Amino acid sequence: MQRTDNYQIQAGQAKQKFLTYDQQALIRKLNLAYDDVYLYPVLFRQTYRLHRKTGNLERKVGETWADANTFSEVMTMLDLICDSREDRFLTGTFRNMASFGLMFHTNLLEDSRDPWAELFQENPEGLRKACQALEGRPLPNGDIAYAIEIFDGLEIALQFWFADEDFPPSLRFLWDENALMYIRYETMHYAKGLLLDMLKQRM
């Protein structure tokens, strides 16, 4: 229970931080759609609305709006909106996600058993269809590989390899070399988790 409360506290702090920013500057920086009440950013090809006075986040589902105040959605969205750099640009060259962090984090990312890879091994066609549902762009490297846009042109690449007699199934994530101009390293993990949840929902 304490862990959940800590997540809620951190998300609440991110919302309060958002309220301190010049919203007109954020609108100009990201060319956001807006009205007097909401900003309308797009995350993983889905339209959201962000309340300009509270930081409350909702996701468009059909013709209605659904609550989107999950920890991963709030932290990913507000980091991208508030802290992406004015001079950001993409190189088009991907780097392994592990290479952005310290060695400690690298070791955590390279666990020999990956439950997500095992899930995708069991349902590879479901993974393909889920990536396509998120308008993923096929990539050449990997048994299944797609680049999926997160926000403002920034993509996360997913590479999956089937198991063989020597190795278990494996899953790797890559980001543009300039990803840190858009998003903090720790927020990469929130965005990756959000993507995995979205893929699972669509499988």
Side-chain angles (χ1 to χ4, degrees):
M1 182 62 70
Q2 185 62 43
R3 186 180 182 189
T4 301
D5 290 343
N6 287 340
Y7 281 150
Q8 291 172 345
I9 290 168
Q10 193 173 349
Q13 289 171 342
K15 292 178 182 181
Q16 290 303 311
K17 182 181 177 183
F18 159 70
L19 298 179
T20 68
Y21 280 78
D22 179 343
Q23 293 185 13
Q24 287 305 125
L26 297 178
I27 289 166
R28 289 193 298 271
K29 178 177 74 169
L30 297 167
N31 194 30
L32 293 175
Y34 69 97
D35 57 31
D36 290 342
V37 181
Y38 295 101
L39 305 182
Y40 294 92
V42 175
L43 187 69
F44 285 110
R45 304 285 189 178
Q46 297 182 95
T47 299
Y48 286 73
R49 66 181 186 184
L50 179 61
H51 199 284
R52 300 180 64 170
K53 292 186 177 180
T54 67
N56 188 61
L57 190 62
E58 295 175 298
R59 182 189 330 105
K60 193 169 187 180
V61 180
E63 298 302 315
T64 63
W65 295 93
D67 181 83
N69 290 288
T70 68
F71 177 80
S72 294
E73 284 173 298
V74 169
M75 299 303 292
T76 301
M77 179 72 81
L78 294 185
D79 187 17
L80 286 162
I81 288 177
C82 296
D83 295 331
S84 55
R85 286 169 44 173
E86 291 276 1
D87 62 346
R88 68 198 179 283
F89 67 96
L90 299 169
T91 68
T93 300
F94 284 112
R95 277 174 51 190
N96 190 337
M97 180 172 169
S99 71
F100 287 90
L102 301 174
M103 185 59 67
F104 174 75
H105 293 110
T106 301
N107 292 338
L108 288 177
L109 287 169
E110 294 182 351
D111 188 353
S112 59
R113 180 180 176 275
D114 185 340
W116 284 103
E118 293 173 357
L119 173 67
F120 298 152
Q121 173 84 19
E122 294 171 1
N123 187 4
E125 276 310 304
L127 173 60
R128 285 192 181 92
K129 290 178 180 178
C131 289
Q132 292 164 4
L134 291 173
E135 300 182 38
R137 177 170 60 88
L139 295 176
N141 297 321
D143 291 320
I144 299 174
Y146 286 87
I148 297 170
E149 184 176 351
I150 298 177
F151 183 93
D152 192 34
L154 177 67
E155 294 177 321
I156 180 171
L158 174 152
Q159 293 177 323
F160 171 72
W161 286 268
F162 294 115
D164 59 27
E165 63 246 13
D166 297 315
F167 297 100
S170 62
L171 183 63
R172 186 168 69 161
F173 294 89
L174 303 98
W175 295 75
D176 189 271
E177 287 182 325
N178 279 354
L180 294 179
M181 300 178 78
Y182 291 72
I183 192 170
R184 292 177 297 165
Y185 173 68
E186 55 267 35
T187 312
M188 289 181 175
H189 292 276
Y190 307 148
K192 182 188 81 169
L194 182 56
L195 172 61
L196 288 169
D197 287 341
M198 289 179 170
L199 291 173
K200 186 177 181 180
Q201 290 168 11
R202 288 163 175 76
M203 286 176 67

